[in-house]
Amino acid sequence: MSMNLSAKLDELQRGDRHLETTVALCEIRTQLQELTKSVESCQSEVSEVKRDMVAIKHELDTVQQVKEEIEELREYVDRLEEHTHRRKLRLLEQGLTFFLTYAILAAVLGMLQFGYNTGVINAPQNNIEYFIKSTYRSRYGEELPDEAVRGLYSIAVSIFAIGGMLGGFGGGMVANKFGRKGGLLLNNVLGVTGACLMWCTKASNYYEILLLGRFIIGVNCGLNTSLVPMYISEIAPLNLRGGLGTVNQLAVTVGLLISQVLGIEQILGTNDGWPLLLGLAVCPALLQLILLPICPESPRYLLITKQWEEEARKALRRLRASNHVEEDIEEMRAEERAQQTESSISMMELICSPTLRAPLIIGVVMQLSQQLSGINAVFYYSTNLFSNSGLTEESAKFATIGIGSIMVCMTLVTIPLMDRTGRRTLHLYGLGGMFIFSIFITISFLIKEMIDWMSYLSVVSTLSFVVFFAVGPGSIPWMITAELFSQGPRPAAMSIAVLVNWMANFLVGIGFPSMNDLLDNYTFLPFSFFLAIFWIFTYKKVPETKNKTFEEILALFKHGNGRMSFRDSQLYGSMLNCVNALESHIPVNEQAGLVIAEEKIERDSCESGSETSSRTGTGDGICRPPPPLPPPRFPNSAV
């Protein structure tokens, strides 16, 4: 029995050991399965790491390739910038040729017409008033009151400015439709018509004919003030643009002087001679009709507006007297690429454009600084002013001739200074001098009755006032308005600027007699106030445009407020030239992608910059665009 028990105990022990072994084996099997899963997971992770390593290696290769492309692109941009700099130096070396001189002289006859008709109404004032009185008496059998006569004469003076407003407003449309040269030729029809009407005024015994003739000749002069500066700025070489632009004002002053000399009593300033004096305005129009057809159309208009490259090359060869015109063509092409989005801009689009708003405001204020300085009060009523200051009527007329002579001499002096000293500097000198001598004019008026020789101080102060006008405000507003805008918005900008100029001209012409009666000896104080404001504005806001291409001037306003340094504007303009040259190699679809990407980055940058500025309280909160995206690689490109 004990053996049976022992056997059973052995059997139970063997069963326990077997059970323990089974349990152990199950545990081992479970651990092996978990280990297998872990190994498989590790293998999967290793595979992913290998793939990541391959991707990283690929990205590193791509980064290296991009780095090489950026280095290559930087070298290419450097070569383009150097090439642009050399091209600009060649442009600055261009000189004045015979045919360019001929074209400018033929064009500025329009500004001579403007000057002549501005000053011609001054000297024969008494003769015209006598004609109005006698005509009214013969027509109605009664005398016309002196106040009504002066009112009609003021209308004859100021209706010229109303016509000028109309002509100036349509100048941009005429320039785009008929071209600069074509518009000038068509405009002479108005010049001839208006001059003939004024010539026939006395023969017809209708003073209304005088008003109609003054209005039509005003439209003619308004178109001239828009078309002539535009034409000259577009045909002039870069280094001569300032001096040649001053020729506009020289022609105006010569026209003024001629009208003042012919208006003295010894020549045509008589009751019989004044109709011929007014009718001689036909001469500049006829002379321009003879001379201008030989001149070429503006190369910029032909190339950028009409896309006639071969015609533009022919015009440039004639104007430059050379077959090497590639630098001019490249500069125009660069301007065209920079202004493709504004190639056909209207006046409303110009006003609403954020980029062009600053130069437009500057152009408008510059025009106002010319007219609201009080100079037209001197031109229109100088004989009367000198008579009121104590001079005899004959001496007053000769003093008026002195005004014209000084204007011509000072404008000649200004021509070489324009490209040497700069537009902005001369304008500041001119406005400052006019402000000082307008105060002296007021002082001389106040004490003329106490001191006999004060009448001479009045004459000297008025002549000095005119000297400083010729230094700056006389010519610079016309020139700088044309320079501030590229080919696309220039006609619309000139139209707006000329409209504002003529509107201010009209207000001064119609309002000065009443202001003179109201303020008496303090007549020039409002002009002193305006001159001070214009000086401050010019000092704060107006950029220097001397020796800058149209593209560099555009870069001034794209970069900031228009007052960055000359060196910075040159650098920015040169880089803009390079980018434009690069864009000519990029396919259209890639260009569109780059533009969209740049706009997105700019928006993101603006939003993040504004948030950071408002959150930290640092910075000015102004949104500044990031640098443009680099164009793709061009391994086969050459400068």
Side-chain angles (χ1 to χ4, degrees), residues 512-622:
F512 183 76
S514 301
M515 189 173 71
N516 194 18
D517 293 338
L518 180 65
L519 299 179
D520 195 20
N521 293 330
Y522 297 94
T523 300
F524 271 79
L525 276 185
F527 297 130
S528 302
F529 173 74
F530 281 125
L531 286 165
I533 292 176
F534 294 138
W535 192 94
I536 294 171
F537 179 87
T538 303
Y539 182 78
K540 293 285 188 182
K541 297 294 183 183
V542 178
E544 182 55 72
T545 60
K546 178 184 71 171
N547 286 342
K548 289 188 177 75
T549 65
F550 289 113
E551 201 165 3
E552 287 171 349
I553 295 170
L554 175 65
L556 284 171
F557 298 101
K558 284 188 174 180
H559 186 82
N561 64 355
R563 285 295 314 280
M564 68 177 180
S565 70
F566 180 46
R567 179 181 175 275
D568 290 341
S569 70
Q570 281 186 315
L571 177 60
Y572 191 80
S574 298
M575 292 302 295
L576 192 58
N577 288 337
C578 297
V579 171
N580 288 331
L582 289 171
E583 285 180 350
S584 64
H585 296 275
I586 306 175
V588 176
N589 57 344
E590 292 186 14
Q591 286 188 30
L594 286 173
V595 171
I596 293 170
E598 284 185 32
E599 290 177 351
K600 184 177 185 302
I601 291 173
E602 184 173 345
R603 286 196 300 271
D604 295 342
S605 174
C606 292
E607 292 172 1
S608 63
S610 301
E611 291 174 2
T612 303
S613 178
S614 61
R615 186 169 58 250
T616 62
T618 60
D620 53 10
I622 298 173

Side-chain angles (χ1 to χ4, degrees), residues 76-134:
Y76 181 63
V77 169
D78 290 340
R79 291 199 304 271
L80 276 175
E81 186 176 1
E82 183 182 355
H83 172 69
T84 303
H85 180 66
R86 288 199 304 268
R87 187 192 71 196
K88 184 175 178 181
L89 288 178
R90 288 194 293 269
L91 287 173
L92 290 171
E93 292 171 357
Q94 291 176 342
L96 190 64
T97 64
F98 172 79
F99 198 73
L100 177 62
T101 306
Y102 175 87
I104 289 171
L105 291 179
V108 296
L109 287 171
M111 298 304 282
L112 186 141
Q113 176 83 293
F114 169 48
Y116 184 85
N117 286 284
T118 297
V120 75
I121 200 73
N122 187 359
Q125 176 177 352
N126 294 334
N127 307 110
I128 293 173
E129 289 180 351
Y130 177 78
F131 166 73
I132 292 173
K133 277 186 177 181
S134 60

Side-chain angles (χ1 to χ4, degrees), residues 77 92 120 193 252 279 333 387 457-458 468-469 550 557 594 627:
V77 169
L92 290 171
V120 75
T193 303
V252 173
R333 285 296 187 198
S387 298
L457 175 62
S458 174
F468 281 97
F469 174 78
F550 289 113
F557 298 101
L594 286 173

Side-chain angles (χ1 to χ4, degrees), residues 620-638:
D620 53 10
I622 298 173
C623 174
R624 294 182 174 83
L629 293 175
R633 183 181 186 184
F634 311 115
N636 297 325
S637 299

